[in-house]
Amino acid sequence: MKLASSLALIFGLASAVIAHHGSDSSIVVIPSTPSIGPIKAQYISSSSGLDGPENKLSKINSTSLGDIWYFDAVSPDGKYSFIASFWASPSPSYTTALQNDKILQAQMILLADDNIYAANSIFADAAEIITRGDGSSGDWKGTGCSFSGAEDLSTYTLNFASPFDIVGSIVLESRAPPHYKCSPAKAGMDMALLPHLGWANAIPDAKASVNLEVNGTHVEFTGIGYHDLSWGDVPLFGYCTMYLFGHGRLGPYSLVWVEVEASDGSKTTSGYVSEDGKILATSCSDVVIDPEYDSATGKQLQGFKVKIDLGEKGVMDVELAVGKIIGDAGDFITGTGQLSGGLQGGHKYQGSALFAAFSP
Ligand SMILES: *[C@@H]1O[C@H](CO)[C@@H](O)[C@H](O)[C@H]1NC(C)=O
Ligand SMILES: *[C@@H]1O[C@H](CO)[C@@H](O)[C@H](O)[C@H]1NC(C)=O
């Protein structure tokens, strides 16, 4: 037991990049336990590796958020949805102080009409992440869970197999260019949503094809998909004091909005709109995100009002009405929604969306 854990520590200390294949490809192996000592975080983008771990954190120590590869999709009627996360994180929580010993786990929540299925993988012995171009492919060894991304971020495939409790595959075919909080995806951009929290949005919107099986039930749907990578050198709990997120599609438009606040007073409000593969806005100014709560209790989230200024093109003005709740941990809630709106004064569209809110 003692030997095993000290070997793990040695492996932890020796973690990092183990191979390079030319300048545009690398393999990183993340060990199963946190590393010891200070780590370095990077929040300025490089010319490639948008979805890879290499230019983000030097290592993951016990007081860092680590890396989270996040994926989701929602059907047009909001009745079907999945959220999958690949964690390399000792402290994966907004609501609780955690310093877990094992850091590599995959999780999925699946909404299928009136049923919600949730699966947590066993802890992986290691996560192997191959980065090619801007895309990454991650294998959480021994869990049955992996993802595989194209180097130009055009497609991602997620695979789930035994011993994971939900099996099958999910394909995301991107239809919106990647971006950072206030810029398109290019070198030298600021990727920090907060001073200690990075965010790279590889797939703001996609055609998602979901084909899964859980406990003998087949769940199949198409809808809109999404993928991002978050990382940080401090834990979320106690640092991130408010977080609002949503993405959706409205007619020809793909939308993503994020608002975060930290205990040190820093705050970012970011809005993204693209149309036909072209970015109309990826901005941290002239974006307003208003969560709306039940007027009687002041608590239950009813929806969002979001306004994103597109400059000459006008103002994107949309409303999300909360549909089905997927996860509810008190202060932290996630679910599907129906979107309506469009450019101010223009045609009004209807669409679907997925949101999350942490607002204690
Ligand atoms: C983890 O790294 C951060 C950033 O270098 C440092 O501030 C923190 O003290 C480290 N934590 C541990 C437990 O060493
Ligand atoms: C499958 O069914 C079993 C028995 O009812 C239950 O314990 C388990 O949580 C289910 N699995 C999922 C992923 O919902």
Side-chain angles (χ1 to χ4, degrees), residues 31-32 102-105 121-127 139-143:
S32 62
K102 299 275 190 161
I103 68 171
L104 298 172
Q105 197 176 37
S121 76
I122 57 171
F123 289 101
D125 302 329
D139 185 3
W140 265 234
K141 297 278 182 191
T143 65

Side-chain angles (χ1 to χ4, degrees), residues 5-6 8-15 31 33-39 58-63:
S5 57
S6 47
L9 288 179
I10 290 164
F11 187 46
L13 286 171
S15 76
T33 55
S35 299
I36 303 292
I39 61 172
S58 61
K59 286 173 192 168
I60 296 168
N61 72 15
S62 63
T63 55

Side-chain angles (χ1 to χ4, degrees), residues 116-119 165-166 214-215:
I116 293 176
Y117 304 96
D165 285 342
I166 301 174
V214 51
N215 270 351

